[in-house]
Amino acid sequence: MRFCLNVDHIATLRNARGEVQPDPVTFALMAEQYGVDGIVVHLREDRRHINERDVRLLRELVTTKLDLEMAAVNEIIDIACDIQPELATLVPERRQELTTEGGINVIDNIDQIRSAIERLHESEIPVSIFIEPDINQIDAAVEINADFIEIHTGNYANAVSEEDIFEELERIRIAAKHAKKLGLGVNAGHGLDYNNMKEFLAIEEIDEVSIGHAVLARSMFVGVEQAVKEMIKIIRHR
Ligand code: PXP
């Protein structure tokens, strides 16, 4: 399982003062040195954290893989086509939300998502869609030629009782198997942390996880190197 680090909230902290520190690009490059497999950023329409300068610099400097999360809207698709990330991940976006709250409803927005995928594919950018672990959503993603899905793991992360944790893991496992069978690459993310990753590793069909908050928060206490390496140790079992 590969581990990609989302650095959005380094930019949130920077923007709180409207100045230049802490710099998400520096953080991303340090994390690459410590072994992450890729960097993820979400360029939101309201630019609340990551901005165009960050994305363009990351494009120049990231040597692993850049995954650009984005809404399926023309303004951001134009930027993606220009900077050419290794992966574009389509996510739902609402101004009022604190963070992405769930997967895209591909079935209800099929024309918009299809045309976003077509435009990104014209620029040879592989596309992932962030969705719930739901067979119908996966089938819709295949129908419109997505290359990957990213399974929303928020409900698993929020589950408290053993029974709920087991149920959510099963939903994800079934969805991941289904997606793999149909030829999709399978990523996952949201709310994954140093504890819940341990059980999550049992789902062998997941190719890659995208983790942000837990690692960024821990880095404040133990430093970037230790926070990144601890997560890598869990994910790679060493
Ligand atoms: N994947 C997607 C699509 C997201 O929107 C986010 C949150 O920005 C993440 C993964 C990472 O979630 P977290 O910050 O909770 O690890």
Side-chain angles (χ1 to χ4, degrees):
M1 202 180 276
R2 295 186 302 271
F3 162 36
C4 292
L5 179 71
N6 179 315
V7 296
D8 289 349
H9 295 306
I10 300 300
T12 304
L13 193 55
R14 172 195 61 191
N15 294 0
R17 291 299 288 263
E19 294 175 14
V20 294
Q21 293 295 345
D23 179 28
V25 178
T26 307
F27 197 103
L29 298 181
M30 289 176 77
E32 272 197 323
Q33 297 298 317
Y34 301 132
V36 300
D37 298 301
I39 300 298
V40 188
V41 286
H42 183 176
L43 183 65
R44 282 180 169 266
E45 285 184 276
D46 64 8
R47 306 294 197 274
R48 68 170 72 159
H49 37 57
I50 293 295
N51 59 34
E52 252 185 88
R53 167 265 185 202
D54 301 330
V55 174
R56 290 188 187 280
L57 266 182
L58 286 167
R59 170 62 304 167
E60 270 185 53
L61 296 169
V62 163
T63 53
T64 50
K65 158 186 174 173
L66 181 62
D67 174 0
L68 183 64
E69 285 182 15
M70 53 190 276
V73 296
N74 283 331
E75 185 219 347
I76 311 288
I77 295 171
D78 287 342
I79 295 171
C81 292
D82 189 30
I83 67 140
Q84 297 272 313
E86 276 76 23
L87 183 68
T89 297
L90 300 176
V91 299
E93 206 170 288
R94 289 195 304 118
R95 295 280 157 106
Q96 314 88 300
E97 68 195 356
L98 286 178
T99 180
T100 312
E101 287 167 351
I104 288 189
N105 189 330
V106 186
I107 297 164
D108 286 358
N109 299 284
I110 199 144
D111 291 334
Q112 186 190 2
I113 313 283
R114 189 200 309 271
S115 87
I117 292 179
E118 280 170 3
R119 283 205 55 206
L120 291 159
H121 277 173
E122 276 165 22
S123 291
E124 296 181 9
I125 302 166
V127 184
S128 178
I129 316 180
F130 185 55
I131 56 175
E132 297 301 317
D134 178 301
I135 303 293
N136 295 325
Q137 294 289 339
I138 293 168
D139 291 345
V142 170
E143 187 190 322
I144 57 175
N145 280 329
D147 306 286
F148 294 80
I149 54 164
E150 180 179 331
I151 297 177
H152 175 231
T153 53
N155 293 331
Y156 164 63
N158 290 335
V160 178
S161 71
E162 285 206 8
E163 193 185 335
D164 287 349
I165 291 171
F166 178 80
E167 236 173 64
E168 291 301 332
L169 271 179
E170 273 310 293
R171 281 181 67 206
I172 295 168
R173 190 193 314 277
I174 291 164
K177 277 206 163 117
H178 185 73
K180 265 279 135 98
K181 210 170 63 195
L182 296 175
L184 290 166
V186 183
N187 301 338
H190 205 88
L192 295 173
D193 64 24
Y194 295 88
N195 292 318
N196 63 31
M197 257 323 283
K198 292 173 187 149
E199 267 186 276
F200 195 75
L201 286 169
I203 309 182
E204 288 173 359
E205 288 77 10
I206 307 280
D207 298 311
E208 182 173 295
V209 285
S210 165
I211 305 178
H213 191 80
V215 177
L216 304 188
R218 183 142 180 80
S219 74
M220 281 199 243
F221 298 114
V222 301
V224 183
E225 178 171 7
Q226 192 176 323
V228 167
K229 285 185 172 170
E230 280 178 14
M231 185 57 85
I232 289 175
K233 193 168 174 190
I234 291 169
I235 293 176
R236 297 189 191 148
H237 313 281
R238 61 178 164 77

